[in-house]
Amino acid sequence: MRRILFLSLTLLSTLVPSLAHAWWQPDWAYRKPVTIDAGPQGGAIGGDAGRTPVLVRLHTGNFSFQGVSDNGADLRFVAADDKTVLNHQVEQFDPLLGIALVWVEVPALSAGAPQQVWMYYGNKKAPASGNGQRTFDPDYTLVYHFGEAGAPPRDTTAYGNNAQTSAVILEGAVIGKGAQLGTAALQLPASPSLAQKAGDAFTFSAWVHPDKLGAQQVIYSRRDGAGELVVGLDQGVPFVQVNGKRSTPGQPVQAGQWSHLALKADGKTVTLYVGGRASASLEGALPALNTSASLGVDATASATPGAQAAFAAFTGSIDELRLSKVARADALLLADAVSQGAESRMTKFGADEQQAGKSHFGFILSAMPLDAWAVVLVLGLMMGFSWFIMIGKSRSYSAISRANEAFMGYFRESAGAPLDSLAKNNKIPAEVKSDSSLWRLYEVAVGELRRRHDRGYDLNAVSNATISAIRAAMDGVQVRENERMSKRMNWLSTTIEGAPYVGLFGTVLGIMLVFVVAAMAGAVDINSVAPGMAAALLCTAAGLGVAIPALFGYNWLASRSDAIGADMAVFVDEFSTRLAEEQGEGRQAHAGQRA
């Protein structure tokens, strides 16, 4: 019974789509595992960075750029659970050059266990993802990637703090494109989101590339009355100056090399970071600053033409400028420094995986509406029950046929012995008695003989009337055996006749809905109606798929039932003939004439 039920459920499942998806969404044909390892073997950030935008740098060495859309619009990043979609922002995507730079938001970057992220692609119809601004958390007030040629740098956060002046865009910076500084100030806006109160937290970070080292070079400058904040280089030694107070010298940077420079103020201390590690510090808090800041040139000179600048211009390049209204964690600043460079060990790429091809039948299933699924479910139940009956009947008929064959062997062996000898000597096995319909015919006939013997009848001279009565009893058992074999066969005939009509009903409903929806949408092209029509016709196909096996099974089972019925009819004739020959009145009369 369990095997039958399992087979029925398996057959039913062919009409119902699987609910378990190992793939995030079936419309994406490919995916690539990206492992983000901030532990000792990877980025080695030594702590929890929290919510972090991690750079995924794709090139021909780790990505083939085959199957992906030309602008990367179909890129999606999904967490290891294959459910949570991560925010991402495409900075650069050029399949011809074989390079892509994508920022992916990692909700919790930790130096503990590595994290896996799935990069899905291969859906040409996918719209560009609209969550790019959410890749950087709301505490980032300004983020420049410097990817805009001939236009002011654009802020990629939701604050929209775009630059007020244009910059000379530099190809081949540490992350895609950068900006060349040294000729004119790159002016930042004086927006409310960039305004600072005295003692507010603040974080500045950028990649800098000094072309040549000099004295008092300014990288970032902001002045508001007596308030002053300057980040610069003095002969290659980074410094921060707040209200005329400068930090002690720390780790220098090299000319002609990219270095990550960051400043963090927490209201008590202003700390300077080189390469993600603390290099110098300054006690105190930042002043109130509500004016615009400038890059590459002292804010005094940029705000007042002709004014004498306190610092020299910075001759070099800048890339990936970020301002935050909070003091970022040390682990996050280190993660930025070690993950954004060309030799990052934080991200590792696995082999691309391709989704199993979606068949035409799969597309039809995906286009089926709810009413079609209801019809298919009804047909599935009809199919499951019909197969349950066919398998059960087949096993039952096989057992009856085997038992009848075994019984006839014993019955013919008993020729010459009294007809009730098989019942007396208990030679017939129990399984034969249980399954054989001929045994039940024989048993009722022997029972009739015994009842007549108990009433004093002479069984050595059985009358024709007695033989007719015994034959009638056997005919009654034969009728009940035939009824037993035909039980539930009417369900098969109902399935044969009804399943096509149920499927046709679903087809009619489906076609009606297709035309109604097409009319309401004003779309009459083949692409708009073909999927619905195919899904509607699937109902008819499903009805035929249920009826045809039931028809074949019904005819096969009916033939086997007829064969068993014929065996019972032959046995009744054979038993009656043998009873008349061995114990009938004719035998006694013939014996008296010989005497």
Side-chain angles (χ1 to χ4, degrees):
M1 182 63 69
R2 286 181 295 179
R3 293 175 59 187
I4 296 174
L5 180 60
F6 173 77
L7 181 59
S8 300
L9 292 176
T10 301
L11 292 170
L12 179 61
S13 67
T14 61
L15 295 178
V16 181
S18 175
L19 297 179
H21 296 281
W23 211 259
W24 168 59
Q25 284 192 13
D27 293 335
W28 273 258
Y30 307 96
R31 70 180 183 182
K32 188 180 190 68
V34 181
T35 302
I36 300 175
D37 185 4
Q41 303 302 319
I45 63 175
D48 295 336
R51 182 178 175 182
T52 306
V54 174
L55 177 63
V56 174
R57 189 188 297 266
L58 302 175
H59 51 78
T60 54
N62 56 33
F63 188 56
S64 65
F65 290 90
Q66 297 295 321
V68 67
S69 62
D70 294 338
N71 58 356
D74 58 343
L75 289 179
R76 297 294 185 273
F77 292 85
V78 184
D81 60 3
D82 240 342
K83 297 179 181 178
T84 306
V85 180
L86 304 178
N87 298 320
H88 76 279
Q89 185 180 97
V90 178
E91 176 179 342
Q92 180 180 353
F93 193 89
D94 193 336
L96 295 179
L97 295 178
I99 186 172
L101 301 170
V102 186
W103 297 96
V104 180
E105 176 202 7
V106 178
L109 182 63
S110 173
Q115 303 179 50
Q116 179 171 288
V117 173
W118 292 106
M119 184 182 75
Y120 281 86
Y121 63 98
N123 181 8
K124 301 288 185 173
K125 298 181 180 179
S129 177
N131 58 5
Q133 291 183 338
R134 295 195 295 270
T135 304
F136 294 86
D137 66 58
D139 290 328
Y140 283 101
T141 54
L142 182 149
V143 174
Y144 289 172
H145 298 315
F146 300 105
E148 301 78 17
R154 182 176 60 88
D155 180 18
T156 60
T157 72
Y159 294 103
N161 288 316
N162 302 327
Q164 303 300 298
T165 57
S166 298
V168 178
I169 299 303
L170 174 71
E171 298 286 346
V174 65
I175 308 172
K177 298 178 180 180
Q180 183 71 45
L181 301 178
T183 56
L186 181 58
Q187 201 73 24
L188 306 185
S191 65
S193 58
L194 294 178
Q196 290 181 229
K197 297 179 181 179
D200 277 356
F202 173 74
T203 302
F204 162 92
S205 67
W207 286 88
V208 296
H209 181 282
D211 293 338
K212 59 181 180 179
L213 302 180
Q216 308 293 325
Q217 292 180 324
V218 62
I219 296 175
Y220 174 85
S221 174
R222 191 174 189 184
R223 299 179 183 277
D224 187 356
E228 174 195 52
L229 172 61
V230 179
V231 178
L233 299 177
D234 188 4
Q235 300 297 338
V237 178
F239 68 87
V240 55
Q241 182 169 309
V242 178
N243 296 341
K245 187 178 180 181
R246 181 176 296 191
S247 61
T248 57
Q251 178 183 348
V253 299
Q254 302 298 319
Q257 295 182 4
W258 285 99
S259 300
H260 188 267
L261 194 64
L263 175 145
K264 180 178 74 172
D266 58 8
K268 297 180 181 179
T269 305
V270 180
T271 307
L272 195 62
Y273 294 79
V274 178
R277 304 188 183 278
S279 174
S281 63
L282 188 65
E283 295 296 328
L286 296 182
L289 298 170
N290 298 312
T291 57
S292 63
S294 62
L295 297 176
V297 176
D298 190 4
T300 301
S302 60
T304 308
Q308 183 66 34
F311 296 92
F314 172 72
T315 303
S317 309
I318 189 170
D319 192 8
E320 195 58 30
L321 171 66
R322 297 181 185 178
L323 302 181
S324 300
K325 60 182 178 181
V326 295
R328 295 292 178 180
D330 289 356
L332 186 144
L333 296 177
L334 181 57
D336 288 344
V338 301
S339 67
Q340 297 172 9
E343 303 299 327
S344 172
R345 297 172 56 188
M346 185 174 289
T347 53
K348 301 176 183 177
F349 300 88
D352 295 67
E353 300 179 9
Q354 182 175 1
Q355 183 183 196
K358 194 174 184 180
S359 65
H360 297 297
F361 188 71
F363 282 106
I364 295 175
L365 290 178
S366 63
M368 288 180 62
L370 181 60
D371 57 340
W373 278 118
V375 172
V376 170
L377 179 60
V378 172
L379 291 173
L381 294 175
M382 294 176 68
M383 184 188 70
F385 196 40
S386 63
W387 276 85
F388 178 80
I389 292 172
M390 288 189 291
I391 295 173
K393 288 295 182 184
S394 176
R395 297 181 63 181
S396 175
Y397 290 175
S398 297
I400 293 174
S401 297
R402 289 193 300 268
N404 285 347
E405 184 178 358
F407 173 78
M408 287 305 298
Y410 290 110
F411 183 75
R412 292 193 173 99
E413 288 177 1
S414 67
L419 283 172
D420 61 349
S421 60
L422 291 178
K424 289 181 178 180
N425 58 24
N426 201 24
K427 188 177 180 180
I428 306 299
E431 59 270 14
V432 173
K433 292 180 180 180
S434 174
D435 296 332
S436 175
S437 59
L438 300 185
W439 163 259
R440 287 184 282 274
L441 292 173
Y442 171 81
E443 189 177 32
V444 72
V446 170
E448 290 292 329
L449 289 174
R450 286 177 176 176
R451 279 192 292 274
R452 283 163 175 75
H453 178 270
D454 294 340
R455 295 174 184 172
Y457 285 78
D458 182 10
L459 296 183
N460 292 321
V462 177
S463 66
N464 290 333
T466 301
I467 293 175
S468 297
I470 295 174
R471 184 185 182 92
M474 296 178 72
D475 287 341
V477 174
Q478 182 179 355
V479 170
R480 288 191 293 274
E481 289 292 327
N482 286 329
E483 290 177 348
R484 178 184 175 188
M485 288 190 296
S486 63
K487 187 178 181 181
R488 294 196 183 95
M489 290 291 285
N490 62 330
W491 175 260
L492 288 182
S493 63
T494 301
T495 300
I496 295 169
E497 297 175 1
Y501 288 104
V502 174
L504 182 61
F505 174 72
T507 296
V508 172
L509 286 180
I511 292 176
M512 289 170 57
L513 287 176
V514 168
F515 286 123
V516 169
V517 173
M520 294 175 62
V524 292
D525 59 286
I526 187 64
N527 292 328
S528 63
V529 300
M533 296 285 285
L537 291 172
L538 182 62
C539 293
T540 298
L544 294 175
V546 173
I548 291 173
L551 175 62
F552 291 161
Y554 179 86
N555 290 334
W556 181 62
L557 292 174
S559 65
R560 298 195 66 182
S561 177
D562 291 342
I564 295 173
D567 289 342
M568 290 191 292
V570 168
F571 178 75
V572 171
D573 291 340
E574 184 175 346
F575 185 90
S576 301
T577 301
R578 184 172 167 182
L579 177 62
E581 181 183 6
E582 295 180 4
Q583 298 177 233
E585 291 177 341
R587 183 186 68 82
Q588 292 294 334
H590 180 69
Q593 291 175 0
R594 286 189 302 170

